[in-house]
Amino acid sequence: VLPELRAAVKGVKIVFFTSNRGELIGSSKSEDDGVELPPAADFAAASSAAVHFALRGGNKVDTIHVGDKLYDIVSISANDAEGNPSGALTFAMEIGHDEAVEISRFTRTEIVLLASNEVIVSTLPRSDGNLRFANMFKELSAGSPNSGQMPKAMFDGKHYYCAARQFKTSASSLGILLLYSYEDSWQSL
């Protein structure tokens, strides 16, 4: 099933089926790019909130953290031939560097994706800023007062306006830090 699904939906890395009793029945992983994926049971555990929603007849989109990666998941209710609920089918697509670059182009900002206060993906070159990014994310996402001004920071010799938001997911430890270089805008004038 996975090769056909991957052809239809770019980026699907794992598919698994959970019975209506909550048991992981089967799974399929794609490691075409040579990167080993975490065990299907780890995906099942991290996606349990979405799976339980689907087992009640709904469909759920969520973002999860498994191993050292982030994944968008879709969990849909599955019915048997008579239309009775039989389980949930869940698909996982990695949110990696390529996806962060795409978001960066769209937002015209640098992107830092975090999980459990650790940088998972960043469009900035690797630097010693990862701890600073994590601390800045904690401060900004907590809504610390900043006298009505956009927070600013300097990384690798560039000045940035900064914004942070937690993802609205079942895992409250996921979020995004956006860094807008106002120097780049000034240089283009």
Side-chain angles (χ1 to χ4, degrees):
V1 171
L2 192 59
E4 293 83 5
L5 185 62
R6 288 195 73 225
V9 181
K10 180 184 174 195
V12 171
K13 295 288 184 181
I14 189 165
V15 177
F16 60 91
F17 182 79
T18 308
S19 76
N20 57 4
R21 293 182 304 279
E23 300 167 340
L24 180 63
I25 299 297
S27 65
S28 180
K29 298 189 303 184
S30 172
E31 299 172 8
D32 291 345
D33 54 9
V35 176
E36 188 173 329
L37 294 173
D42 292 353
F43 278 97
S47 62
S48 63
V51 169
H52 285 114
F53 190 85
L55 290 173
R56 292 190 305 269
N59 300 322
K60 182 77 171 166
V61 176
D62 204 352
T63 303
I64 61 172
H65 178 219
V66 182
D68 62 350
K69 298 186 184 302
L70 294 176
Y71 295 89
D72 273 336
I73 62 164
V74 178
S75 192
I76 59 174
S77 180
N79 297 327
D80 63 18
E82 286 84 39
N84 299 315
S86 61
L89 189 59
T90 304
F91 309 92
M93 290 82 45
E94 182 181 343
I95 305 171
H97 185 262
D98 292 345
E99 291 75 18
V101 168
E102 187 176 333
I103 296 168
S104 178
R105 278 195 298 264
F106 177 74
T107 61
R108 298 180 188 201
T109 63
E110 298 294 342
I111 304 293
V112 180
L113 299 173
L114 300 102
S116 302
N117 295 317
E118 292 186 27
V119 174
I120 302 298
V121 177
S122 174
T123 57
L124 290 165
R126 280 282 177 215
S127 70
D128 59 352
N130 284 354
L131 181 58
R132 287 184 62 203
F133 293 146
N135 289 335
M136 180 180 290
F137 173 78
K138 281 192 283 188
E139 180 182 324
L140 295 176
S141 63
S144 300
N146 58 18
S147 68
Q149 295 182 354
M150 178 72 76
K152 298 178 185 177
M154 185 170 165
F155 293 102
D156 296 329
K158 280 190 173 181
H159 293 87
Y160 295 94
Y161 289 119
C162 308
R165 295 289 180 266
Q166 286 189 333
F167 290 161
K168 292 183 178 183
T169 70
S170 58
S172 62
S173 66
L174 307 180
I176 186 168
L177 180 64
L178 303 170
L179 303 167
Y180 176 75
S181 172
Y182 52 88
E183 291 171 340
D184 290 345
S185 297
W186 290 343
Q187 290 174 359
S188 65
L189 293 177

